[in-house]
Amino acid sequence: MVEVNCETDFVARTPDFQQLVEMAARGVLGHCQGASGTKLLLREDELAQVRAGDGGELLSDHLALAMGRLGERLSLRRAGWLRAPGGFVATYAHGWVPAGPAVAMGTYGALVACGGPGAGPPPAELRELGRRVAQHVVGMAPTALGTPEDELGGDTETRLLAQGTLLEPGVPLGRYLRERGGLQVWDFLRFQCGEEPPQEPPQEGSAPPG
């Protein structure tokens, strides 16, 4: 997931800008696939040094060319990546930019590392449940994971699994997932365009089993 900023809505809707976003997303994916661990965050200066494809030019070079074509200041703000060994990464993007064939775009985005209760590929129902959790992360802006046994918190609750579920606010998300197939949530990442990122990288969530 990458955050690329511009100054106007008009530029955000142009093919040039959206191609830059897609190029950055693909470059980050290739860069992170060789990394260790289950989470990686890149600051603006680190993102600028990522290459667009094997042997491609730096993203900072593509950024400069896009600014020249569009006549507006752009920035490669940050990027984040999650891995879910034995599970899958659910995604959700929210905003007014229509979803493209390869990269979803919007003003909010979330990644959720999760998996099913057993071995093997998760069924479609659990994958859809993972997408709903990612949607919840965008809407409720949690800052910590919590545990599946957490009781329901109040309106200011920041632990994901203790927050009231979007569709059933009276039920904590952890219990909601247990009652619908046992989807496990291991970690998550949320971006909002223009927000000030935390000074310290967020801690990794619970590690996948095994």
Side-chain angles (χ1 to χ4, degrees), residues 59-107:
L59 289 181
S60 58
D61 294 334
H62 288 283
L63 178 72
L65 291 173
M67 284 195 289
R69 290 193 299 268
L70 294 168
E72 185 168 300
R73 179 172 174 76
L74 312 176
S75 65
L76 297 163
R77 186 80 182 284
R78 54 178 169 164
W81 176 85
L82 289 182
R83 177 185 282 137
F88 65 99
V89 176
T91 66
Y92 180 75
H94 179 80
W96 46 260
V97 180
V103 177
M105 300 186 191
T107 51

Side-chain angles (χ1 to χ4, degrees), residues 42-149:
L42 299 176
R43 301 185 307 267
E44 185 171 354
D45 58 333
E46 296 170 320
L47 181 55
Q49 298 305 305
V50 170
R51 293 191 178 275
D54 293 337
E57 295 180 340
L58 297 176
L59 289 181
S60 58
D61 294 334
H62 288 283
L63 178 72
L65 291 173
M67 284 195 289
R69 290 193 299 268
L70 294 168
E72 185 168 300
R73 179 172 174 76
L74 312 176
S75 65
L76 297 163
R77 186 80 182 284
R78 54 178 169 164
W81 176 85
L82 289 182
R83 177 185 282 137
F88 65 99
V89 176
T91 66
Y92 180 75
H94 179 80
W96 46 260
V97 180
V103 177
M105 300 186 191
T107 51
Y108 301 84
L111 305 177
V112 179
C114 46
E125 294 80 4
L126 282 188
R127 287 189 172 273
E128 171 59 21
L129 197 54
R131 188 195 69 82
R132 288 190 220 158
V133 174
Q135 184 179 22
H136 176 107
V137 169
V138 164
M140 301 299 289
T143 58
L145 181 60
T147 73
E149 292 74 32

Side-chain angles (χ1 to χ4, degrees), residues 6 12 14 19 27 32 93 98 108 118 121 125 131 146 159-160 176 186:
C6 59
T14 62
Q19 287 168 10
C32 292
Y108 301 84
E125 294 80 4
R131 188 195 69 82
R159 293 170 298 163
L160 172 63
Y176 183 89
W186 299 326

Side-chain angles (χ1 to χ4, degrees), residues 158-178:
T158 59
R159 293 170 298 163
L160 172 63
L161 297 176
Q163 291 179 326
T165 307
L166 277 178
L167 297 179
E168 294 188 28
V171 179
L173 183 60
R175 190 203 313 166
Y176 183 89
L177 298 179
R178 288 202 312 272

